[in-house]
Every structure is written in structure tokens, then in C-alpha cells.
Amino acid sequence: MSAAPLAELRGRGIVPGVVEAEALVTHDAISGFGGIDVATGTVIEPRHELFGVCFTGKVLVFPGAKGSSGWSGYFQSTRLMGTGPAAMVFNVLTTKAVLGAIVTRVPTVVEATPDPLDVIRTGDLVRVDGDTGVVTLLRRAVSDVAPTTP
């Protein structure tokens, strides 16, 4: 029997499917055009907190999209090149973000409560259920830092 979930967030599923994967969390909106390298699935926007970080195969937890309507085309290209995220979780709904999720064809949950940016941390194992709109925190990331004793 598996352990009980650590947290459950409820939102609205906009792309169906269920995925369990490691979370990649950013508090910065993501720019598609000029902000990501579609060939590698890497954030290349110089001042972004994830600059140089690859989102391929991760549950991308972010506030939403920024920039032009080209956002969806760039994220669709990540799907076509096999470099896209495994799932998306975001709260700021814009046509570019929603269309991007749809053409990327990965399970997506929006408008979840409590706020995913307050609950989920990079490296956590999460399940995104785009059918029911539920995001489940399954396991916290293992810390690389050993605790110190006084």
C-alpha cells in the first residue's frame, strides 16, 4: 500500500491525462518566444530564475505565460521535438498559456487551491490529473544537505 498523499490541490483540468513526475517550480512567468530553447527544453531567458534549467519530463509549476502569442507555438515545438514538460500546473489564465498547454498535449491543471507555488517545491514528486483537476503531492524532494547538529 502506498503512503497517504502529503497534499491535494484542487483546480480545473484543461488537458486530460494523468502523469506522475518530479516538479520544477518557478515563481516567474515563462516566455515562449525567446525564453525557451525548444531543442533542449531549457529556459534561456537571461534574467529568469530557471535560466539554464531543463524542464523536459518535469511537471512545470509556474504562474503563467508571458510574451507574445507565439508562446503556444514554441511549447508545441517542445512536444514535437520530445523536449516538453510532462505536465503543467499554472494559475494565471491567458489564451497563450491555455493554448500552449493544449497544443503541448500534456496533462494540465489550472486555478488550483491552495496555490501550487505555495505548496509544491522543485524536486517534489507530484501527480497531475488533468481529468479531475487534482494535483497530488506524493513525496517531498530529498534534500542534498545533511542536517547539522550543534
Side-chain angles (χ1 to χ4, degrees), residues 7-13 17-19 89 108-110 112 126-137:
E8 194 171 85
L9 299 81
R10 296 193 174 274
R12 188 167 52 144
V18 180
V19 164
V89 177
T108 302
V109 173
V110 300
V126 296
R127 177 185 307 121
V128 178
D129 187 333
D131 299 321
T132 64
V134 175
V135 179
T136 308
L137 175 57

Side-chain angles (χ1 to χ4, degrees), residues 1-50:
M1 180 187 286
S2 61
L6 300 174
E8 194 171 85
L9 299 81
R10 296 193 174 274
R12 188 167 52 144
I14 60 168
V15 180
V18 180
V19 164
E20 286 184 17
E22 182 180 316
L24 179 61
V25 180
T26 179
H27 290 83
D28 292 345
I30 295 178
S31 176
F33 178 72
I36 65 169
D37 178 349
V38 298
T40 63
T42 301
V43 177
I44 58 171
E45 184 179 345
R47 291 178 296 280
H48 197 281
E49 73 175 311
L50 292 182

Side-chain angles (χ1 to χ4, degrees), residues 3-146:
L6 300 174
E8 194 171 85
L9 299 81
R10 296 193 174 274
R12 188 167 52 144
I14 60 168
V15 180
V18 180
V19 164
E20 286 184 17
E22 182 180 316
L24 179 61
V25 180
T26 179
H27 290 83
D28 292 345
I30 295 178
S31 176
F33 178 72
I36 65 169
D37 178 349
V38 298
T40 63
T42 301
V43 177
I44 58 171
E45 184 179 345
R47 291 178 296 280
H48 197 281
E49 73 175 311
L50 292 182
F51 177 75
V53 178
C54 180
F55 53 74
T56 302
K58 307 281 172 98
V59 173
L60 190 55
V61 181
F62 61 112
K66 68 178 177 182
S68 73
S69 58
W71 199 90
S72 58
Y74 278 81
F75 271 85
Q76 178 188 28
S77 293
T78 66
R79 176 182 61 84
L80 296 172
M81 298 184 105
T83 60
M88 292 187 205
V89 177
F90 59 90
N91 282 346
V92 179
L93 293 181
T94 60
T95 55
K96 65 182 139 256
V98 172
L99 181 58
I102 291 168
V103 299
T104 306
R105 298 183 187 168
V106 296
T108 302
V109 173
V110 300
E111 299 179 325
T113 56
D115 188 336
L117 296 173
D118 293 336
V119 177
I120 301 170
R121 298 186 302 234
T122 293
D124 290 349
L125 178 64
V126 296
R127 177 185 307 121
V128 178
D129 187 333
D131 299 321
T132 64
V134 175
V135 179
T136 308
L137 175 57
L138 300 172
R139 184 180 68 234
R140 284 286 181 201
V142 177
S143 174
D144 293 334
V145 179

